[in-house]
Each structure stands twice: as structure tokens, then as C-alpha cells.
Amino acid sequence: MVQEDLFKKIIAHSKEYGFIFPSSEIYDGLSAVYDYGQNGVELKNNIRRYWWEAMVKLNENIVGIDAAIFMHPRTWEASGHVAAFSDPLIDNKDSKKRYRADQLIEEHLQKIEDKIQKEVDKAAQKFGASFDEGKFKSTSPRVIENQQKYDAVHARYIRALENDDLKELYQIIIDSEIVCPVSGTRNWTDVRKFNLMFSTQLGSVSEEANTIYLRPETAQGIFVNFLNVQKTGRMKIPFGIAQTGKAFRNEIVARQFILRMREFEQMEMQFFIKPGTEMEWYAYWKEKRMKWHKSIGMGDHKYRFHDHDKLAHYANAACDIEFEFPIGFKEVEGIHSRTNFDLGNHEKYSGKKIQYFDTEANEGFTPYVIETSIGLDRMFFTVLSNAYVEEKVEWEGSAKEERVVLKIPPALAPVQLAILPLTKKDSLPEKAREIMDRMKYDFNCQYEEKDSIGKRYRRQDAIGTPFCITVDHDTLQDNTVTIRYRDTLQQERVVIDRLPEIMGDKVSLKGLLKRL
Ligand code: ATP
């Protein structure tokens, strides 16, 4: 299947089965804003809980907070967002479409890289085991030519970003002959800066009203509470503060479903350390976060690190963890060494001393920070898109048929257990309800008695329920039920008392947490 088609199918499926709806759909939706439905909210809560428990429950030196979305406006001056939280935008005059200039150039660079890779793959196939990639790359005229082209554009691009040179970004687009994907023309406007923060007014009388911002990241709520938490929690460095919550960005280009929204959710952890130890802790958190991603079991080859070409105004090292979505590798999480930029600036702007006193060394200092920042919605989409499978299966006794199944890791599945009486009569519903009442305290259960059992299995497959329990006439005699496994389609007859033990760690976060 073409990957773009797969992407569209997943979007359609997620709406049809109550995972994600366009916001205010009855008014034709609101651009780049989405609502989570009855199954979506369960999956999202499970992912959030897995992150929270991995951070706060498993690390004695990490605690959580929940700061407000609104913050004093000076916060965003201190953090640098008022001056620098902007993207370079450019419009195509023919299609009237708006783009991020940096993304147009990065896509252009990616295309050159793809061309090089294609040549390499072709040659590798031709020469088989004797293929020497290094030698090929340094001798093939076509590869050399493309590599030189890449290096030249890349060097100009990095310099332009470092110098905040909008004219040069424009010139690179012109010189590289980048066209608008919609109109196919090179009729571009100048590149302009666009601040991504949403603002609103606080206060009821307009003369007194203060312009405030919807937070563009959750991190600042942690920084401004650094002293509160450190003192009241008697925290000793190194220690971390974790938080999950909404963030808002007026994104210029927001066309990739929940990968780029204007209202989204972040899960961030700021780890406070001694100056000079930041590279050690940066490496530590890179490894730890990658392990968390891989523990979910979606395939180690789906992840890679990507070092930032341009460091943000606050960072001295930064990388992303990228996941391979149906539309290619995209960032899911950022790991940043933020130095003492934020705490130092909050000290300056607030006039309050923000220092940590090291009693052993008998000295005070402004801590350095390593940040791990993951988008909950993007994480949600890694799970959903990876889980979506169309496959041909043989149903009980019938010819091969196609089914759509979400192979969501059982511990994250919205419904873990479906309890299905075979028929609506003969006391089967009562027996099924009895089982439901026993199981519902430990598992997320769903009871369903409508339609044929086959139809009900298919509905449960489509929302990713790992276990279906069927209650039939034998159940009334011998207290056994049939478990039907989502992924293998195998059926097993077991006594009801064994159900908790069989589900056990498979559907609990504990099973995942133990892999960390
Ligand atoms: P990008 O380069 O994709 O714009 P970013 O580098 O600006 O992302 P960060 O500021 O590092 O992102 O934010 C941390 C995480 O928040 C990202 O890794 C991503 O998962 C998530 N995120 C950022 N912007 C959005 C958005 N508009 N919609 C959904 N998630 C987002």
C-alpha cells in the first residue's frame, strides 16, 4: 500500500472507531485542533500513565507537579519566547499556500540524500557481497555531484539559521529552484518571522488588562517552581521535576493530523544538575529515553536519534528521538541540554535569587538542566499507526477474509477485555455480567451482547482489544470460558478463576515498567 494511503486510512479508522475526531466537527472543524474520543482517551491516558510512572514512580529523585497554563507574562520574556519563539514563513503567490522556509529547505536536502541512497542501494544490489559502500561513494560521479550539492546547500542553510538571516533563507530557496508543491511555481514572497505564541487578555476592564500567553511549552511552569519544589521536597541535586499538560503553538503549517497541532499535550521532565556534568547526564537521559520507547515493543529499527542542526537559544546540546511513521521518520521527543539559561534568566527578570546550595561543597550555584520533552499526541500516533494492520485471516470455518486489527501493546489498549455472552438468553448475559463484576476492578472491560459473535470479534479487533472472553452454555455447567487472542486468533478454554493470572502482567503497566 502507498504510505500516504495508509496514513489516510489510519486517520479514517481513528475517527470511525472513536479514537480521534476533528474539533467542533459540526461546524466543519477547526484547523489543526482535534478531540479524543471514547477509545482515544483511554489509549492516551495509558500512554501518559506509562510515562508518568516510568519517571516519577521508578525514580526516587524525580517528583511531579501540575502548573497552570497561564503564567505571568514576564515568564515568556525571561525564557526568550517573546523575542525568539518564531518560525520563518514564506508564501507562494500563486497557490496562496504558506510554508515554513526551513522545512522547504530541509525537504529539498532530504530529496538529495534520497537520491544518493538510491544510487547506493542500486550498486549494492548489483555488486552483492563484494560491495564497498565507502569506496563507491567516493568514486561514483553521480554520488559525488549530489554530495557536493548537498554539502553546499547544507552549509549555507546552517549559517543562515545561526545568523537568523531571513534574506539568505529566501535566496537558498530561489537558488535551489524549490517549487511550491501545490502550484509548482517559484513565485515566492520574502521570508518573514512569525511568533508562534497565542496571546489573550487577563482582566475584565480593557485599560487594566494584561496581555498574557497560552504556554507554548510546559517547561517554564517547572522552572518557576524550582525553588518551591526543591525546598518543600528537600530535594538534593541531581533531581528532576516532571509534568504533563497542554501547550499551544500557532503553527504556520499544520497539515499532518495530530503530528502538528495548535493545541497539544507535552510530557516534560527537567533534570537539575551540577554545572560541568551536563554531557554525562545528557548521554544518560538519551539512553534512558530510548529504552523507554523501545520497551513498548514496536520494533527497535523504528527509532533513531537525530542531532539538531541548529541549537535553540537556550541549548548547548540537543537531539530528537524520531519514529518511523507511515509518512517517514518524524520527531517524537526532544532531549536538550538547556544549561542554566532558564533559571539564570528567571533570576534576572524576577529579581529573586534562584540558587541551589550544596552543603557538602559549601557553595551555591545555578543548576544546569537536562530536559526530556515528548509530545503525547505524537506518541499516541506512534502506537496507533504502528498498530494498524490489514490482514487476510481464516475465520472459524469460513473462507479467507480481510480484517482490520489494531495490534496495540496490550498494556496500552483502550479495552483490555471484552466479555461476550454467546446469546442474549438462557442466563448467559447474567453469567457474563458476573464475570465482568469480578474483573472490572483490575482490567478495563467492555460488555457486548449485540450481533453475532463474529461481528463482535471484528469490532473488538478494530479497537485493539487483546482478549475476548466468550461465555457459552458450557460456562453454566463447568465455569469455563473461551479466551480468543487478538493477534493469533487462537482460542483457549480456561476456568474463570484463572483469568486474572492469564491476563496478569500482559495487560498491566507493571509488565512494561519491569522492562526498563
Ligand atoms: P518541531 O521541530 O516538530 O516543530 P519542536 O522541536 O519545536 O518540534 P519541542 O519544542 O522540542 O518541539 O517540543 C517537544 C515535543 O513536543 C516534540 O518532540 C513533539 O513531540 C511535541 N510537539 C511540538 N510541537 C507540536 C505540535 N505542534 N503538535 C504536536 N506535538 C508537538
Side-chain angles (χ1 to χ4, degrees):
M1 193 187 319
V2 180
Q3 294 300 289
E4 279 288 336
D5 291 347
L6 176 61
F7 189 59
K8 283 188 194 144
K9 276 192 175 184
I10 297 168
I11 295 172
H13 186 89
S14 71
K15 183 173 170 223
E16 189 180 346
Y17 287 94
F19 284 86
I20 295 170
F21 306 125
S23 157
S24 7
E25 200 189 0
I26 55 167
Y27 296 103
D28 296 332
L30 184 65
S31 165
V33 185
Y34 292 91
D35 296 339
Y36 285 80
Q38 68 279 14
N39 289 316
V41 70
E42 297 292 341
L43 174 57
K44 193 177 181 199
N45 283 343
N46 289 342
I47 296 171
R48 192 193 292 106
R49 200 171 321 120
Y50 181 44
W51 181 88
W52 186 265
E53 296 198 357
M55 282 292 177
V56 177
K57 214 170 175 181
L58 296 195
N59 292 289
E60 284 174 32
N61 59 351
I62 297 181
V63 292
I65 62 163
D66 183 17
I69 287 171
F70 291 144
M71 300 181 71
H72 194 284
R74 294 277 282 167
T75 307
W76 305 108
E77 288 171 37
S79 69
H81 283 81
V82 171
F85 193 58
S86 54
D87 281 336
L89 76 86
I90 188 167
D91 293 295
N92 183 271
K93 291 182 201 161
D94 297 321
S95 67
K96 309 267 183 288
K97 288 269 173 207
R98 181 159 283 182
Y99 299 92
R100 264 173 65 179
D102 55 335
Q103 284 180 351
L104 283 180
I105 298 171
E106 281 179 17
E107 278 160 22
H108 174 68
L109 286 168
Q110 185 64 48
K111 277 189 196 147
I112 305 177
E113 268 190 331
D114 292 347
K115 271 192 202 157
I116 297 173
Q117 194 55 44
K118 225 169 154 183
E119 291 289 331
V120 172
D121 292 345
K122 236 169 46 191
Q125 212 174 22
K126 191 164 148 199
F127 295 111
S130 65
F131 181 62
D132 179 343
E133 184 174 330
K135 198 165 158 203
F136 175 75
K137 278 181 159 171
S138 62
T139 52
S140 156
R142 239 180 294 182
V143 171
I144 294 173
E145 190 193 324
N146 275 319
Q147 191 62 50
Q148 282 170 348
K149 212 188 270 167
Y150 179 94
D151 292 344
V153 176
H154 187 250
R156 278 179 75 185
Y157 172 57
I158 299 302
R159 225 174 309 124
L161 289 181
E162 275 165 10
N163 299 330
D164 235 345
D165 188 344
L166 302 181
K167 283 212 169 85
E168 174 65 355
L169 286 178
Y170 171 80
Q171 204 52 49
I172 296 172
I173 290 174
I174 298 300
D175 294 348
S176 304
E177 302 184 349
I178 295 174
V179 298
C180 166
V182 176
S183 67
T185 71
R186 283 183 250 150
N187 195 7
W188 297 108
T189 62
D190 287 342
V191 175
R192 307 186 299 290
K193 282 245 160 208
F194 178 75
N195 195 298
L196 302 180
M197 283 199 293
F198 285 99
S199 61
T200 185
Q201 304 294 314
L202 186 77
S204 54
V205 184
S206 64
E207 308 87 71
E208 289 170 12
N210 240 329
T211 296
I212 56 162
Y213 299 99
L214 298 185
R215 66 181 178 197
E217 61 174 24
T218 58
Q220 298 304 325
I222 294 179
F223 292 127
V224 299
N225 277 299
F226 167 77
L227 283 181
N228 283 337
V229 174
Q230 192 268 318
K231 295 217 158 100
T232 57
R234 299 164 70 230
M235 307 301 291
K236 291 244 176 308
I237 271 177
F239 75 90
I241 303 178
Q243 169 168 231
T244 71
K246 288 279 175 115
F248 304 83
R249 295 183 187 177
N250 200 359
E251 297 280 0
I252 298 171
V253 187
R255 295 188 197 118
Q256 287 175 330
F257 193 42
I258 57 168
L259 295 181
R260 192 167 297 284
M261 298 153 91
R262 297 205 162 97
E263 173 180 342
F264 59 102
E265 194 160 341
Q266 290 186 314
M267 308 193 285
E268 296 198 303
M269 193 278 298
Q270 311 294 324
F271 199 70
F272 300 95
I273 54 175
K274 230 177 158 157
T277 62
E278 65 269 24
M279 284 310 142
E280 206 179 296
W281 284 111
Y282 175 65
Y284 173 86
W285 280 107
K286 265 178 82 171
E287 193 209 333
K288 198 122 165 134
R289 292 304 304 144
M290 187 57 106
K291 201 167 175 193
W292 182 88
H293 283 278
K294 290 183 176 173
S295 69
I296 294 173
M298 297 194 286
D300 291 4
H301 62 285
K302 296 250 169 173
Y303 300 91
R304 70 179 187 198
F305 283 114
H306 170 78
D307 287 324
H308 283 199
D309 278 336
K310 185 205 173 191
L311 294 176
H313 56 276
Y314 50 74
N316 70 355
C319 70
D320 300 329
I321 293 178
E322 296 184 338
F323 182 80
E324 192 176 13
F325 292 99
I327 47 168
F329 274 97
K330 300 268 173 229
E331 169 183 345
V332 181
E333 171 157 9
I335 297 155
H336 311 126
S337 172
R338 286 181 84 127
T339 67
N340 59 2
F341 176 87
D342 301 272
L343 291 183
N345 264 12
H346 284 307
E347 181 168 283
K348 224 184 291 162
Y349 279 73
S350 68
K352 310 267 169 20
K353 195 169 170 197
I354 305 180
Q355 293 249 311
Y356 174 81
F357 192 77
D358 184 344
T359 43
E360 273 165 38
N362 203 26
E363 59 172 14
F365 58 85
T366 312
Y368 268 43
V369 170
I370 303 297
E371 162 183 85
T372 70
S373 172
I374 170 172
L376 177 51
D377 313 272
R378 285 195 197 170
M379 188 58 215
F380 179 99
F381 201 58
T382 66
V383 176
L384 192 73
S385 63
N386 195 69
Y388 183 93
V389 178
E390 291 175 3
E391 61 186 14
K392 284 229 155 42
V393 292
E394 216 161 314
W395 300 108
E396 299 76 33
S398 70
K400 279 202 170 182
E401 244 183 72
E402 186 143 289
R403 74 160 175 167
V404 174
V405 52
L406 292 185
K407 295 190 176 177
I408 299 175
L412 301 179
V415 176
Q416 297 166 324
L417 203 58
I419 299 179
L420 317 171
L422 194 59
T423 66
K424 274 196 246 180
K425 23 180 230 255
D426 305 334
S427 304
L428 297 187
E430 288 74 13
K431 186 70 187 172
R433 289 268 180 217
E434 216 179 85
I435 300 172
M436 175 98 180
D437 284 342
R438 263 177 82 175
M439 305 295 282
K440 69 184 181 194
Y441 299 100
D442 294 315
F443 305 100
N444 205 354
C445 303
Q446 195 171 81
Y447 174 86
E448 258 208 312
E449 59 179 26
K450 204 160 173 267
D451 294 326
S452 73
I453 196 74
K455 265 197 185 152
R456 280 180 275 167
Y457 282 159
R458 257 159 278 188
R459 273 206 298 269
Q460 294 298 333
D461 285 345
I463 63 166
T465 308
F467 305 102
C468 287
I469 306 296
T470 313
V471 177
D472 57 22
H473 292 92
D474 288 345
T475 311
L476 302 176
Q477 309 304 321
D478 59 9
N479 262 332
T480 64
V481 289
T482 302
I483 305 186
R484 182 247 195 201
Y485 296 94
R486 176 194 71 194
D487 297 347
T488 59
L489 294 174
Q490 268 176 351
Q491 303 208 0
E492 190 185 0
R493 196 81 196 171
V494 300
V495 286
I496 293 167
D497 286 346
R498 281 196 59 219
L499 284 178
E501 167 211 329
I502 291 171
M503 310 289 148
D505 273 3
K506 284 200 203 89
V507 293
S508 78
L509 286 181
K510 191 169 155 193
L512 285 185
L513 289 164
K514 278 186 163 174
R515 288 189 212 164
L516 293 174

